[in-house]
Amino acid sequence: MKRLKWILYGCLVVFFTSCGYQFQGGGYINKDVARVAVKVLENKSSETGAGIAFTNALIQEIIQRTDTKVVDESLASVFFKGTIKRITFATLSRSTTESVVDRRVLATIDLKLVNKDGEVIWSVTDFTSYEEYTVSADKITDESNKKEAVDKIAIRSAEKLINKLMINF
């Protein structure tokens, strides 16, 4: 049994190394960018704390998926800056004409990668991401559900934006 396990393990190693399969991630966000700073995203939405949530998600994504170091702006060769242009809410379903069951949260973001001279190296405008959440009659639970949905959008947006950035380079 032990020998069969090692043979199977060996076959898997040979398969994954011979077919060109690679795990996603690693590498710099740009061939010349070993260190990057991330400015807190400007929040033009009415959602308190969204700028911090989106900024933290972006930093986490850079740390987890790339070899680029996130550093203070004075030590970085380039930096991210951006704006959360809006966060909107739409009704998805109702139980009655006055009672909402589910909502969709939609966030729209602009993000730029800028060098020290102010030259834009990479940018995306009107990037959107959304998440649904269940509305609760209890205000505290409803606010918690809404915040969780915004946090999920922040994480998903960061994943997609870093992926998009790395593909473009």
Side-chain angles (χ1 to χ4, degrees):
M1 183 71 175
K2 212 175 197 182
R3 183 180 171 134
L4 180 62
K5 186 171 28 172
W6 281 107
I7 291 171
L8 181 60
Y9 175 73
C11 289
L12 287 173
V13 168
V14 169
F15 173 75
F16 284 126
T17 57
S18 66
C19 70
Y21 182 84
Q22 295 178 339
F23 292 103
Q24 187 176 7
Y28 295 118
I29 58 174
N30 175 308
K31 64 182 178 343
D32 298 326
V33 179
R35 297 180 306 198
V36 66
V38 181
K39 292 185 175 186
V40 176
L41 273 64
E42 180 183 358
N43 183 12
K44 290 188 175 180
S45 79
S46 60
E47 287 305 302
T48 305
I52 299 297
F54 278 78
T55 303
N56 287 341
L58 186 60
I59 291 168
Q60 276 303 116
E61 189 65 17
I62 294 166
I63 291 169
Q64 290 176 349
R65 290 219 15 239
T66 75
D67 295 327
T68 301
K69 302 267 188 255
V70 178
V71 296
D72 184 75
E73 195 175 337
S74 64
L75 302 172
S77 55
V78 297
F79 60 91
F80 281 104
K81 71 178 192 175
T83 305
I84 301 166
K85 293 172 76 172
R86 63 189 152 276
I87 295 177
T88 58
F89 299 86
T91 299
L92 285 180
S93 62
R94 297 177 177 272
S95 59
T96 66
T97 55
E98 289 110 26
S99 181
V100 176
V101 176
D102 295 302
R103 284 202 172 108
R104 174 176 286 163
V105 184
L106 178 77
T108 306
I109 305 162
D110 290 348
L111 189 66
K112 295 177 184 177
L113 183 62
V114 181
N115 67 16
K116 291 233 180 220
D117 298 327
E119 178 186 349
V120 175
I121 299 169
W122 176 87
S123 70
V124 63
T125 56
D126 294 330
F127 178 85
T128 59
S129 191
Y130 65 89
E131 180 68 30
E132 288 90 23
Y133 74 96
T134 302
V135 175
S136 175
D138 177 54
K139 280 207 177 265
I140 293 172
T141 303
D142 189 54
E143 283 299 316
S144 176
N145 291 351
K146 184 168 67 167
K147 183 184 179 326
E148 186 178 323
V150 171
D151 290 346
K152 285 181 181 179
I153 293 170
I155 292 167
R156 186 177 304 117
S157 295
E159 290 170 354
K160 290 179 179 178
L161 287 166
I162 293 301
N163 188 45
K164 188 178 186 88
L165 174 67
M166 292 181 79
I167 288 171
N168 285 350
F169 286 118

